[in-house]
Amino acid sequence: MVQEDSSFATSLNDSVSFLNGYLTDVLILVLLATGAFFTLATGLVQVRLFARSVKEMLWGRQDPEDPHGITPFQAFVTGLASRVGVGNIAGVALAISLGGAGAVFWMWVTALVGMSSAFAESSLAQLFKIRDHSNGHFLGGPAYYIQRGLRARWLGIVFALALILCYGFVFNMVQANSLANAANKAWGTQHVYSGLFVMLLTLPIIFGGIRRVSKIAEAIVPVMALLYLLMTFYIIFMNLPLVPVIIHDIFVDAFNVKAAAGGIFGGIFSQAMVLGVQRGLFSNEAGMGSAPNAAASADVKHPASQGMIQMLGVFVDTFVICTCTAVMILISRPYTLGEEGVTITQTAIVNQVGSWGADFLAIILFLFAFSTIVGNYAYAESNIRFIRNNALLVFLFRISVLVTIYIGSVIATPMVWNMADLSMSIMALINLVAILLLSPFVFIILRDYQRQLKNDIHEPIFNLDKYPKLAKLLGRDIW
């Protein structure tokens, strides 16, 4: 594995860390404020329509061969494929090791208010999606609703470039790097071989496009999540008497301001809060503007349907998978032994079940990271096509992604995580401001959906004829 020790790399890493300190503070304020706004303005949509979101996910349009889009369930697991990954294993471990148990509380807060933001962004993605007339598929996401809703293509391009950098390259480097580290710890596999293996395995999938990505995700995401959860449930059950103590520590440490963070508001934001929000956003992506790219691809009869499905994805990611990881880690506390990143979670499992636990997690992490890589690619390709839908450009991008995956596997440096945080912050800030400005459309969608439910319409359908001004803005291509 190559280490970057040059003065240039060190200086660059320090500069990125410095920028992260300031951007993170701004992001925390905007993220929580936006989530609180949509939570209150929608009347706690994440609570009131939670049961309905499960129904929409399970019993939405069921024809996977429809050429116009992917099914709601496929969109859900494609979004979950990108959410559920290294963030749930290495990210949670990193947050706890640096920010303490209290970081978990702030991950919960980020997810709770973020569920309403996820509803807003994915509903907007459905409303403003377009049809690719070359194949009949749907395209959409923040770049599209920024261009069409705010009439600002330049800002849509800026967002698209930030997402391509973040998801097409940096996040995939993080996933590949953690996968290689886990394989090295479990089996002594050299990073170069892990990189080549993942790169070659990814090649036929990303050249198959979004529909192939969605089918792969539909097949492996439920299985990998179930296997991982069964392991964490077993470890938690075997240590059940410790759980109340751990929950107490999480709430108490959440408000421990002794370990202050840097940035603009150094003494106000604790390290637990900063790490919890950062790693929570990295994991569940609520409000970041990533999941709407998958949400827009779904063929649904009402924009709110996919908004609720992606809202459910945030809940599953953070309140279920991340919480199980956190409790398991806090039971064993391997981070006190000097472990870091994904090896913290590996050591926690090994401490509870024996040496085979390292092998188990390496395999699970491979599934997590691999599904995330292909999900990330799907998001990035959609935004490449937004900037310019050119076959050669898409081909070159696919090759670049494969090369990046390999580089991420063989280079171990904090620069990768710092770049991930920087690009994530830029993306999220643009998207959060955009959905706030477009919030009137979110309220139209929600009111229309709720009115039909109130009138005992079991499968609401969005009729654009009822909204002439909106019809003039959107055209008649979709709705």
Side-chain angles (χ1 to χ4, degrees):
M1 181 170 55
V2 179
Q3 299 288 340
E4 292 186 29
D5 297 322
S6 70
S7 58
F8 172 77
T10 301
S11 299
L12 186 59
N13 186 47
D14 290 344
S15 299
V16 173
S17 297
F18 176 78
L19 289 174
N20 276 337
Y22 289 94
L23 268 181
T24 297
D25 284 350
V26 176
L27 177 61
I28 289 175
L29 291 176
V30 177
L31 181 73
L32 296 181
T34 303
F37 168 75
F38 280 112
T39 295
L40 296 174
T42 60
L44 297 173
V45 64
Q46 63 266 61
V47 177
R48 292 187 301 104
L49 295 181
F50 182 81
R52 180 73 190 185
S53 70
V54 177
K55 182 177 180 180
E56 289 280 3
M57 185 269 292
L58 293 175
W59 291 289
R61 189 184 65 80
Q62 294 295 309
D63 181 10
E65 300 305 320
D66 190 312
H68 299 132
I70 61 178
T71 67
F73 180 72
Q74 285 176 333
F76 171 76
V77 295
T78 301
L80 199 62
S82 182
R83 286 192 178 102
V84 178
V86 170
N88 301 86
I89 298 178
V92 173
L94 185 64
I96 293 173
S97 65
L98 297 178
V104 180
F105 173 85
W106 294 108
M107 291 181 72
W108 291 340
V109 171
T110 302
L112 181 61
V113 299
M115 288 174 71
S116 63
S117 300
F119 171 82
E121 62 182 357
S122 291
S123 295
L124 287 170
Q126 271 289 323
L127 181 67
F128 287 100
K129 69 185 179 183
I130 65 172
R131 191 187 304 278
D132 184 347
H133 291 286
S134 65
N135 54 27
H137 298 169
F138 296 128
L139 297 173
Y144 294 84
Y145 57 66
I146 289 172
Q147 174 179 281
R148 303 186 72 199
L150 297 179
R151 305 293 182 90
R153 177 167 171 78
W154 68 270
L155 186 58
I157 290 175
V158 172
F159 176 87
L161 290 172
L163 186 144
I164 292 164
L165 171 65
C166 188
Y167 278 83
F169 301 114
V170 181
F171 274 18
N172 279 346
M173 289 180 70
V174 172
Q175 301 290 335
N177 185 264
S178 294
L179 192 158
N181 286 339
N184 180 262
K185 179 178 175 64
W187 309 306
T189 306
Q190 293 185 28
H191 289 70
V192 62
Y193 296 131
S194 296
L196 288 172
F197 178 72
V198 177
M199 184 179 70
L200 292 175
L201 198 61
T202 305
L203 189 151
I205 295 176
I206 66 173
F207 274 89
I210 179 64
R211 289 178 65 80
R212 182 172 295 180
V213 170
S214 67
K215 289 179 179 180
I216 294 294
E218 183 179 34
I220 69 175
V221 170
V223 174
M224 72 179 186
L226 179 61
L227 289 174
Y228 181 70
L229 285 175
L230 287 175
M231 171 62 79
T232 59
F233 287 160
Y234 170 75
I235 292 174
I236 292 170
F237 179 77
M238 295 301 293
N239 296 272
L240 210 53
L242 296 176
V243 174
V245 178
I246 289 170
I247 299 299
H248 173 268
D249 289 345
I250 289 173
F251 280 92
V252 171
D253 288 355
F255 301 96
N256 177 11
V257 296
K258 293 180 180 179
I264 304 173
F265 306 105
I268 300 177
F269 293 162
S270 68
Q271 189 77 350
M273 185 177 185
V274 170
L275 267 296
V277 172
Q278 275 187 328
R279 299 283 72 82
L281 182 60
F282 181 87
S283 179
N284 64 51
E285 303 177 14
M288 194 191 300
S290 52
N293 293 275
S297 300
D299 183 10
V300 295
K301 295 181 178 179
H302 200 288
S305 299
Q306 200 60 40
M308 287 185 290
I309 290 171
Q310 296 304 329
M311 180 179 77
L312 180 64
V314 175
F315 176 86
V316 172
D317 173 272
T318 303
F319 287 101
V320 180
I321 300 177
C322 284
T323 298
C324 287
T325 298
V327 173
M328 180 178 67
I329 289 171
L330 290 169
I331 285 171
S332 296
R333 300 184 183 273
Y335 51 91
T336 60
L337 304 176
E339 298 278 3
E340 59 182 31
V342 68
T343 59
I344 291 176
T345 311
Q346 275 184 307
T347 302
I349 293 179
V350 169
N351 289 346
Q352 297 296 321
V353 303
S355 59
W356 67 270
D359 301 331
F360 171 83
L361 188 64
I363 295 171
I364 292 297
L365 186 65
F366 169 78
L367 295 176
F368 274 122
F370 180 69
S371 68
T372 302
I373 286 171
V374 295
N376 288 350
Y377 167 78
Y379 292 163
E381 181 187 302
S382 175
N383 283 268
I384 286 284
R385 294 183 183 279
F386 169 81
I387 296 173
R388 188 176 181 185
N389 196 356
N390 177 274
L392 177 60
L393 182 62
V394 172
F395 174 81
L396 293 175
F397 172 68
R398 289 171 174 171
I399 297 298
S400 300
V401 169
L402 294 173
V403 173
T404 302
I405 289 171
Y406 174 77
I407 293 173
S409 300
V410 299
I411 295 180
T413 172
M415 184 66 178
V416 176
W417 278 96
N418 283 331
M419 282 295 294
D421 288 334
L422 181 63
S423 56
M424 175 181 72
S425 296
I426 295 171
M427 250 186 70
L429 286 171
I430 296 173
N431 183 61
L432 290 168
V433 172
I435 64 175
L436 283 171
L437 294 174
L438 294 170
S439 60
F441 296 111
V442 178
F443 303 143
I444 289 174
I445 293 169
L446 182 58
R447 284 195 298 266
D448 185 88
Y449 188 87
Q450 291 180 141
R451 182 169 55 248
Q452 294 188 54
L453 288 181
K454 189 176 181 180
N455 292 333
D456 293 325
I457 298 175
H458 300 295
E459 191 175 12
I461 298 174
F462 190 67
N463 185 356
L464 202 56
D465 291 334
K466 295 181 179 179
Y467 306 98
K469 292 183 180 179
L470 190 56
K472 187 177 180 181
L473 176 65
L474 295 177
R476 297 287 180 165
D477 190 38
I478 306 295
W479 305 106

